[in-house]
Amino acid sequence: MNVPFYRHQLTAAHAEAIARVVASPMLTSGAIGREVEGLLCNYFNVPYALLVNSWTNGALACLLAMDIKPGDEVIVPAMTFIATANMVELIGGKAVFVDVDPDTLLLTPAAVKAAVTPRTKAVMPVHLYGQMVDIKALRAAIGPGVRIIEDCAHCFEGTLNGDRPGAHSDIAIFSFYATKNVTTGEGGAMITKDAALAEKLKVTRLHGMSAGAIDRFRAGAYNHWDMLQLGVKANLPDLLAALIPPQMPEIEGKLAERERLARRYETAFAGNNLIRLPKAVSGSKHARHLFVIHVPPKLRDPLMLALNGAGVGCTVNYRNVPTLTYFREKYGFAPSSFPVAETWGAGTISLPLFPGLTDQEQDHVIATLRRELDRLSASS
Ligand SMILES: *Cc1c(COP(=O)(O)O)cnc(C)c1O
């Protein structure tokens, strides 16, 4: 039996929404995008939402809008996808890595506070795997002078103490990449309660121009635009935005299925002393983006090979980011510089988790994993 790491759940019904855009005059950012931004404002209970063509480009637009400059410091977790740190470096800022909590793998307010310097302009907490960092406590720890940019690539549906992303930060940025819980293939969104920031984001999202295409042709007459500052090309076309409205009513049902499958894994691995799982955060509703396990590091790569050999797709989220070549060479980090990210990153495996994964498929993953882990630990 072959079990893929991921199978998307878009159907002919979602494709019809794209066909309707193709049949309309406007292919890029227009009325559909505005409608979707309204849906996101409603869902997250915020006044401003801006669609973007990736989390990555949204983060660039955000850092530009916040006027983050060469030499400025932005705190990021050592355990994340590289994009979180890379965008800070790309605009000339310094990504200041902070190790994560050994149980939850999340940034803690105390660790962030200890890394704040007079040059710190922002922190980018990552809601890793779908559990939220405590943003309210983080704000209390670092005060109002440091901007909080939530990396919500793993957490669209999650909450902490009843609060969704965006409730206590300056901005929350989502990814609609192909494997994310809500997807447009490539895409993302930024949400904020800050009116001044939202105005700036509209500009930095599109070349620093004073008006987007839809406004340039408003009322059928051409309007001149100005360039106010440097910006990126980060707007999401309506062709892709059209995939969001049909997904909104499916969100809760799909999350319930992710939760059910995650609990089946948890039950199956309970009591296995070679397998460690991230600890549940109290008060948190988990978005269940990824199901990750940790095994003894010397068994990780052979186990992944054995899983792949038995037709089971799996991946690694993530290895210790500061020890990847670019950061290691630039800042001279050693594996021991971030011991939690190092240990977790050397032993973690992500297993198939998506609505539509059948119980039979999941049972194959579980049985293969148990068998191969026993075999490898007996022979090591
Ligand atoms: C996927 C991901 C990103 C990047 O998202 P894109 O939309 O592909 O740019 C950033 N951060 C994390 C934690 C991610 O998982």
Side-chain angles (χ1 to χ4, degrees):
M1 179 185 268
N2 277 321
V3 184
F5 177 68
Y6 188 71
R7 249 189 333 251
H8 77 73
Q9 301 101 52
L10 299 183
T11 63
H14 300 93
E16 271 171 34
I18 295 183
R20 283 195 293 277
V21 177
V22 172
S24 81
M26 186 72 171
L27 298 179
T28 186
S29 309
I32 307 276
R34 300 255 162 119
E35 176 200 329
V36 172
E37 289 172 346
L39 293 175
L40 296 176
C41 286
N42 254 350
Y43 186 85
F44 292 103
N45 192 26
V46 292
Y48 308 100
L50 292 97
L51 289 172
V52 284
N53 53 19
S54 67
W55 181 99
T56 301
N57 282 336
L60 267 184
C62 168
L63 294 168
L64 290 170
M66 290 179 172
D67 218 14
I68 291 174
K69 294 205 152 55
D72 288 346
E73 296 179 359
V74 177
I75 294 169
V76 299
M79 180 47 57
T80 183
F81 181 56
I82 50 173
T84 318
N86 290 1
M87 292 308 102
V88 175
E89 296 273 324
L90 194 62
I91 61 157
K94 181 178 180 191
V96 175
F97 290 100
V98 167
D99 210 352
V100 290
D101 179 86
D103 295 324
T104 63
L105 291 320
L106 301 176
L107 277 185
T108 64
V112 173
K113 187 179 177 192
V116 170
T117 76
R119 280 198 293 272
T120 307
K121 290 286 154 53
V123 52
M124 299 178 88
V126 178
H127 303 316
L128 195 73
Y129 309 138
Q131 294 204 102
M132 286 180 70
V133 173
D134 190 339
I135 303 297
K136 203 173 179 178
L138 179 61
R139 175 63 82 204
I142 62 177
V146 175
R147 300 276 215 163
I148 300 178
I149 304 165
E150 289 174 83
D151 180 340
C152 296
H154 295 186
C155 187
F156 189 97
E157 318 89 320
T159 64
L160 184 65
N161 302 321
D163 291 328
R164 292 196 186 279
H168 303 290
S169 61
D170 292 281
I171 183 171
I173 310 180
F174 300 88
S175 171
F176 301 147
Y177 175 69
T179 58
K180 302 289 157 77
N181 289 16
V182 174
T183 185
T184 56
E186 300 283 355
M190 311 183 283
I191 60 169
T192 180
K193 294 176 162 177
D194 181 335
L197 180 60
E199 277 312 303
K200 280 212 135 196
L201 289 167
K202 276 186 204 159
V203 173
T204 56
R205 179 178 61 170
L206 197 68
H207 298 302
M209 286 162 79
S210 55
I214 202 170
D215 298 312
R216 293 203 296 280
F217 297 99
R218 179 149 291 166
Y222 185 81
N223 289 300
H224 284 296
W225 48 268
D226 190 8
M227 181 182 147
L228 306 173
Q229 67 167 98
L230 287 175
V232 286
K233 180 73 161 74
N235 59 301
L236 186 72
D238 277 8
L239 270 177
L240 294 180
L243 288 170
I244 300 277
Q247 287 178 74
M248 297 299 288
E250 302 168 350
I251 286 174
E252 287 311 310
K254 282 181 167 176
L255 179 61
E257 181 58 6
R258 285 178 177 275
E259 182 65 32
R260 187 186 74 83
L261 291 164
R263 291 197 180 215
R264 273 186 104 237
Y265 275 136
E266 284 172 356
T267 306
F269 301 141
N272 186 321
N273 59 15
L274 293 177
I275 298 178
R276 197 154 67 83
L277 304 176
K279 194 175 153 200
V281 173
S282 92
S284 144
K285 180 174 157 196
H286 201 314
R288 294 296 190 185
H289 174 54
L290 292 169
F291 191 88
V292 295
I293 64 170
H294 182 275
V295 297
K298 67 176 188 298
L299 303 184
R300 195 267 302 277
D301 289 355
L303 181 58
M304 285 189 74
L305 270 179
L307 286 167
N308 292 161
V312 174
C314 52
T315 179
V316 171
N317 304 93
Y318 300 94
R319 291 186 298 153
N320 186 6
V321 173
T323 61
L324 300 179
T325 299
Y326 170 85
F327 290 109
R328 190 186 63 238
E329 288 182 348
K330 181 166 180 187
Y331 295 114
F333 294 128
S336 58
S337 308
F338 301 92
V340 178
E342 178 61 26
T343 306
W344 183 262
T348 192
I349 303 178
S350 304
L351 302 179
L353 177 73
F354 50 88
L357 179 70
T358 66
D359 289 6
Q360 289 83 343
E361 287 175 319
Q362 192 182 30
D363 289 343
H364 176 66
V365 176
I366 292 166
T368 308
L369 198 145
R370 280 189 179 137
R371 185 186 70 232
E372 296 300 325
L373 192 54
D374 282 350
R375 183 179 63 79
L376 289 165
S377 65
S379 68
S380 73

